[in-house]
């Protein structure tokens, strides 16, 4: 069962979840290394619309990322709160769009 990052991540982007993921399946609109060049306290303004996403095709459901998130943005797919159910498709769509950019 895949995990999902909800919009609660928007403008936080502290990347704590990335460090614990054993399969490296968490990505954002810009490379993680580039995102980390911006100090944490400036990310809310500089990345005000950004969030990270979990690739549902690669996530192994290990749950390591969930407790790392300071804003409780990560849920197992079956446990996503009702107000965030659209985020399940948004995570998948992000990676579909990324792959279509390759061609
Ligand atoms: S549940 Fe595990 S594999 Fe899936 S995104 Fe979180 S850390 Fe990565
Ligand atoms: S730990 Fe939470 S807030 Fe930080 S990048 Fe991951 S999902 Fe977003």
């Amino acid at each position: 069962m895949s995990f999902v990052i909800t919009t609660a991540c928007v403008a936080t982007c502290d990347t704590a979840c990335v460090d614990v993921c054993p399969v490296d399946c968490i990505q954002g609109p810009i490379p993680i290394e580039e995102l980390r060049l911006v100090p944490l306290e400036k990310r809310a303004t500089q990345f005000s619309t950004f969030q990270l996403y979990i690739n549902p095709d690669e996530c192994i459901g290990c749950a390591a990322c969930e407790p790392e998130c300071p804003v409780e943005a990560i849920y197992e797919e079956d446990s996503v709160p009702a107000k965030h159910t659209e985020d399940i498709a948004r995570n998948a769509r992000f990676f579909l769009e990324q792959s279509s950019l390759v061609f």
Side-chain angles (χ1 to χ4, degrees), residues 5-6 8-10 12-18 26 51-52 65 68-74:
I5 297 180
T6 66
C9 172
V10 171
T12 303
C13 290
D14 72 325
T15 74
C17 53
V18 175
I26 303 174
Q51 73 161 86
L52 301 193
C65 55
E68 298 300 318
C69 182
V71 293
E72 296 183 16
I74 304 174

Side-chain angles (χ1 to χ4, degrees), residues 41-90:
E41 64 274 15
K42 292 191 176 168
R43 290 183 198 169
T45 48
Q46 202 149 331
F47 302 133
S48 61
T49 61
F50 281 19
Q51 73 161 86
L52 301 193
Y53 301 91
I54 291 172
N55 188 334
D57 292 331
E58 294 182 4
C59 174
I60 59 171
C62 71
C65 55
E66 189 181 13
E68 298 300 318
C69 182
V71 293
E72 296 183 16
I74 304 174
Y75 296 88
E76 191 174 21
E77 189 176 335
D78 276 354
S79 304
V80 172
K83 66 178 179 179
H84 286 302
T85 48
E86 285 182 12
D87 294 333
I88 299 171
R90 287 181 66 244

